[in-house]
């Protein structure tokens, strides 16, 4: 099923995706851009919530700015000239296996209301780096390679640039989720999410091994090694 879901994602790149979608009589739903502002706001969940969750006080303005400054150098690598729908919650709880169907229709999708216009690497990353379910490394790598094999036939597809975006977006998502899980515990009393933090931290550390993310990795080592 994971490979079939990768087929869906590869197929999505072959279509043009509108930013404005009819949603009923006289209603148009606008799908927001997953741009630098949106990605930075999400990354800020870490200093805003994970930091005080660990330390009991707010991070300093200087630390917040140094964190944002690193992200500003990375986010341009996640912006496509031809954005597509990014479902964002493309992971196991939202993928319904329908074996009686054929092709990409074997994968049913739910929880798509938070879709944005962004980079196709995001959904592949969120599936293979599931925050709440262990995906064996070998299966994740097999799924990624399967996806890349489908895309390599496209004119102009740059696998290295794609995997750089995958790593940057993977680090951003793990960063965001650590902040969200801390917020769910601290603000909302939903402590069950804390058991997933080690898995998310491992994903963050793995993404930070990409050479492009060396400066961000150093920031974590200097300021917040607990996140790793």
């Amino acid at each position: 099923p994971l490979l079939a879901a990768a087929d869906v994602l590869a197929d999505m790149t072959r279509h043009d995706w509108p930013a404005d979608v009819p949603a009923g009589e006289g209603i148009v739903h606008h799908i927001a851009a997953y741009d630098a502002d949106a990605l930075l706001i999400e990354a800020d969940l870490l200093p805003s919530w994970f930091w005080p969750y660990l330390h009991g006080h707010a991070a300093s303005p200087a630390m917040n700015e140094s964190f944002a400054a690193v992200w500003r150098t990375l986010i341009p690598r996640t912006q496509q000239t031809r954005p597509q729908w990014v479902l964002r919650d493309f992971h196991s709880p939202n993928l319904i296996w329908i074996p009686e169907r054929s092709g990409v229709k074997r994968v049913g999708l739910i929880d798509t209301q938070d879709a944005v216009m962004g980079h196709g690497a995001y959904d592949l990353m969120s599936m293979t780096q599931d925050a709440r379910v262990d995906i064996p490394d070998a299966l994740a790598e097999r799924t990624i390679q399967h996806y890349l094999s489908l895309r390599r036939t496209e004119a102009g597809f740059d696998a290295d640039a794609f995997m750089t975006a995958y790593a940057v977006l993977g680090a951003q998502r793990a960063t965001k989720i650590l902040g969200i899980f801390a917020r769910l515990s601290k603000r909302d009393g939903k402590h069950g999410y804390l058991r997933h933090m080690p898995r998310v931290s491992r994903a963050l550390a793995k993404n930070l091994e990409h050479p492009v993310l060396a400066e961000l990795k150093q920031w974590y080592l200097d300021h917040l090694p607990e996140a790793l």
Side-chain angles (χ1 to χ4, degrees):
L2 223 61
L3 297 183
D7 291 341
V8 172
L9 294 176
D11 183 71
M12 286 179 67
T13 68
R14 303 183 183 113
H15 302 275
D16 291 322
W17 298 94
D20 294 305
V21 185
E25 187 174 349
I27 300 172
V28 175
H29 174 65
H30 179 70
I31 299 179
Y34 213 18
D35 57 15
D37 288 342
L39 290 163
L40 279 171
I41 288 169
E42 290 184 345
D44 183 67
L45 288 165
L46 184 114
S48 293
W49 288 97
F50 188 75
W51 176 276
Y53 165 80
L54 286 179
H55 299 290
H57 60 83
S60 70
M63 186 169 296
N64 286 337
E65 177 52 36
S66 68
F67 189 61
V70 178
W71 279 109
R72 289 189 195 102
T73 69
L74 294 170
I75 286 174
R77 295 178 179 272
T78 71
Q79 303 301 291
Q80 291 189 144
T81 55
R82 184 170 167 259
Q84 66 177 73
W85 287 4
V86 174
L87 304 182
R88 282 204 286 183
D89 288 326
F90 198 95
H91 52 188
S92 56
N94 296 334
L95 304 176
I96 312 301
W97 182 239
I98 311 173
E100 63 270 20
R101 295 183 181 177
S102 61
V104 295
K105 293 183 179 180
R106 292 178 298 171
V107 181
L109 307 177
I110 63 172
D111 195 12
T112 61
Q113 68 274 7
D114 292 326
V116 290
M117 300 294 293
H119 197 294
Y122 192 97
D123 285 340
L124 181 68
M125 173 274 301
S126 65
M127 179 176 68
T128 53
Q129 297 184 12
D130 199 311
R132 289 179 285 182
V133 177
D134 285 327
I135 305 295
D137 288 346
L139 177 57
E141 183 60 26
R142 182 183 171 202
T143 303
I144 292 167
Q145 292 305 318
H146 175 70
Y147 175 91
L148 293 176
S149 71
L150 297 173
R151 297 290 311 277
R152 283 194 175 99
T153 60
E154 299 175 16
F157 177 69
D158 185 334
D160 290 337
F162 180 91
M163 290 309 299
T164 296
Y166 176 101
V168 173
L169 291 167
Q172 188 271 351
R173 182 170 179 269
T175 293
K176 170 183 70 174
I177 291 175
L178 288 176
I180 289 173
F181 286 173
R183 183 177 66 185
L184 285 167
S185 174
K186 187 177 179 68
R187 187 190 70 183
D188 304 331
K190 297 180 179 180
H191 308 303
Y193 288 93
L194 299 180
R195 72 179 184 272
H196 299 303
M197 278 190 172
R199 182 183 300 107
V200 178
S201 289
R202 289 193 296 272
L204 175 59
K206 184 173 183 179
N207 287 307
L208 292 178
E209 290 305 312
H210 193 290
V212 165
L213 290 156
E215 186 179 4
L216 183 62
K217 177 182 177 181
Q218 193 60 51
W219 187 95
Y220 270 105
L221 292 173
D222 291 342
H223 301 293
L224 204 56
E226 301 93 336
L228 307 181

